[in-house]
CSV table of all heavy atoms in Angstrom, one decimal:
chain,number,residue,atom,x,y,z
S,62,HIS,N,14.8,-9.1,-11.9
S,62,HIS,CA,14.6,-8.2,-10.8
S,62,HIS,C,15.5,-7.0,-10.9
S,62,HIS,O,15.1,-5.9,-10.7
S,62,HIS,CB,15.0,-9.0,-9.5
S,62,HIS,CG,15.0,-8.1,-8.3
S,62,HIS,ND1,13.8,-7.8,-7.6
S,62,HIS,CD2,16.0,-7.6,-7.6
S,62,HIS,CE1,14.1,-7.0,-6.6
S,62,HIS,NE2,15.4,-6.9,-6.6
S,63,VAL,N,16.8,-7.2,-11.3
S,63,VAL,CA,17.7,-6.1,-11.4
S,63,VAL,C,17.3,-5.2,-12.6
S,63,VAL,O,17.3,-4.0,-12.4
S,63,VAL,CB,19.2,-6.6,-11.7
S,63,VAL,CG1,20.1,-5.5,-12.1
S,63,VAL,CG2,19.7,-7.3,-10.4
S,64,PHE,N,16.8,-5.8,-13.7
S,64,PHE,CA,16.3,-5.0,-14.8
S,64,PHE,C,15.2,-4.1,-14.4
S,64,PHE,O,15.1,-2.9,-14.7
S,64,PHE,CB,15.9,-5.9,-16.0
S,64,PHE,CG,15.2,-5.1,-17.1
S,64,PHE,CD1,15.9,-4.4,-18.0
S,64,PHE,CD2,13.8,-5.1,-17.1
S,64,PHE,CE1,15.3,-3.7,-19.0
S,64,PHE,CE2,13.2,-4.3,-18.1
S,64,PHE,CZ,13.9,-3.7,-19.1
S,65,LEU,N,14.2,-4.7,-13.6
S,65,LEU,CA,13.0,-3.9,-13.2
S,65,LEU,C,13.4,-2.8,-12.2
S,65,LEU,O,12.9,-1.7,-12.3
S,65,LEU,CB,12.0,-4.8,-12.5
S,65,LEU,CG,11.3,-5.8,-13.5
S,65,LEU,CD1,10.4,-6.8,-12.8
S,65,LEU,CD2,10.5,-5.0,-14.5
S,66,ARG,N,14.4,-3.1,-11.3
S,66,ARG,CA,14.9,-2.0,-10.4
S,66,ARG,C,15.5,-0.9,-11.2
S,66,ARG,O,15.2,0.3,-11.0
S,66,ARG,CB,15.9,-2.6,-9.5
S,66,ARG,CG,15.3,-3.4,-8.4
S,66,ARG,CD,16.4,-3.7,-7.3
S,66,ARG,NE,16.9,-2.5,-6.7
S,66,ARG,CZ,18.0,-2.4,-6.1
S,66,ARG,NH1,18.8,-3.5,-5.9
S,66,ARG,NH2,18.4,-1.3,-5.6
S,67,GLN,N,16.3,-1.2,-12.2
S,67,GLN,CA,16.9,-0.2,-13.1
S,67,GLN,C,15.9,0.6,-13.9
S,67,GLN,O,16.0,1.8,-14.0
S,67,GLN,CB,18.0,-0.8,-14.0
S,67,GLN,CG,19.2,-1.3,-13.3
S,67,GLN,CD,20.1,-2.2,-14.2
S,67,GLN,OE1,19.6,-2.7,-15.2
S,67,GLN,NE2,21.3,-2.3,-13.9
S,68,PHE,N,14.9,-0.1,-14.4
S,68,PHE,CA,13.8,0.5,-15.1
S,68,PHE,C,13.1,1.5,-14.3
S,68,PHE,O,12.8,2.6,-14.7
S,68,PHE,CB,12.9,-0.5,-15.7
S,68,PHE,CG,11.7,0.1,-16.5
S,68,PHE,CD1,11.9,0.5,-17.8
S,68,PHE,CD2,10.5,0.3,-15.8
S,68,PHE,CE1,10.8,1.0,-18.5
S,68,PHE,CE2,9.4,0.8,-16.5
S,68,PHE,CZ,9.6,1.2,-17.8
S,69,ARG,N,12.7,1.1,-13.1
S,69,ARG,CA,11.9,1.9,-12.1
S,69,ARG,C,12.8,3.2,-11.8
S,69,ARG,O,12.2,4.3,-11.7
S,69,ARG,CB,11.6,1.2,-10.9
S,69,ARG,CG,10.4,0.2,-11.1
S,69,ARG,CD,10.0,-0.4,-9.8
S,69,ARG,NE,9.2,-1.6,-10.0
S,69,ARG,CZ,9.6,-2.8,-9.7
S,69,ARG,NH1,10.7,-3.0,-9.0
S,69,ARG,NH2,8.8,-3.8,-10.0
S,70,SER,N,14.0,3.0,-11.5
S,70,SER,CA,14.9,4.1,-11.2
S,70,SER,C,15.0,5.1,-12.3
S,70,SER,O,14.8,6.3,-12.1
S,70,SER,CB,16.3,3.6,-10.8
S,70,SER,OG,17.2,4.7,-10.6
S,71,LEU,N,15.2,4.6,-13.6
S,71,LEU,CA,15.2,5.5,-14.7
S,71,LEU,C,13.9,6.2,-14.9
S,71,LEU,O,13.8,7.4,-15.2
S,71,LEU,CB,15.6,4.7,-16.0
S,71,LEU,CG,15.6,5.4,-17.3
S,71,LEU,CD1,16.7,6.5,-17.2
S,71,LEU,CD2,15.9,4.5,-18.4
S,72,SER,N,12.8,5.5,-14.8
S,72,SER,CA,11.5,6.0,-14.9
S,72,SER,C,11.2,7.2,-13.9
S,72,SER,O,10.7,8.2,-14.3
S,72,SER,CB,10.4,5.0,-14.8
S,72,SER,OG,9.1,5.5,-14.9
S,73,GLU,N,11.6,7.0,-12.7
S,73,GLU,CA,11.5,8.0,-11.7
S,73,GLU,C,12.3,9.2,-12.0
S,73,GLU,O,11.8,10.4,-11.9
S,73,GLU,CB,11.9,7.4,-10.3
S,73,GLU,CG,10.9,6.4,-9.8
S,73,GLU,CD,11.4,5.7,-8.5
S,73,GLU,OE1,12.5,6.1,-8.0
S,73,GLU,OE2,10.7,4.8,-8.0
S,74,ARG,N,13.5,9.0,-12.4
S,74,ARG,CA,14.4,10.2,-12.8
S,74,ARG,C,13.8,11.0,-14.0
S,74,ARG,O,13.7,12.2,-14.0
S,74,ARG,CB,15.8,9.7,-13.1
S,74,ARG,CG,16.6,9.3,-11.9
S,74,ARG,CD,18.1,9.2,-12.1
S,74,ARG,NE,18.5,8.7,-13.3
S,74,ARG,CZ,18.8,7.4,-13.6
S,74,ARG,NH1,18.8,6.5,-12.6
S,74,ARG,NH2,19.2,7.0,-14.8
S,75,LEU,N,13.4,10.2,-15.0
S,75,LEU,CA,12.8,10.9,-16.2
S,75,LEU,C,11.5,11.6,-15.9
S,75,LEU,O,11.2,12.7,-16.4
S,75,LEU,CB,12.7,9.9,-17.4
S,75,LEU,CG,14.0,9.4,-17.9
S,75,LEU,CD1,13.7,8.3,-19.0
S,75,LEU,CD2,14.9,10.5,-18.5
S,76,THR,N,10.7,11.0,-15.1
S,76,THR,CA,9.4,11.6,-14.7
S,76,THR,C,9.7,12.9,-14.0
S,76,THR,O,9.0,13.9,-14.2
S,76,THR,CB,8.6,10.6,-13.8
S,76,THR,OG1,8.3,9.5,-14.6
S,76,THR,CG2,7.3,11.3,-13.4
S,77,ALA,N,10.6,12.9,-13.1
S,77,ALA,CA,11.0,14.1,-12.3
S,77,ALA,C,11.5,15.2,-13.3
S,77,ALA,O,11.1,16.4,-13.2
S,77,ALA,CB,12.0,13.8,-11.2
Side-chain angles (χ1 to χ4, degrees):
H62 175 78
V63 170
F64 172 82
L65 290 173
R66 285 188 61 200
Q67 292 170 335
F68 178 83
R69 286 186 197 115
S70 176
L71 178 61
S72 177
E73 289 171 6
R74 289 195 321 264
L75 292 176
T76 298

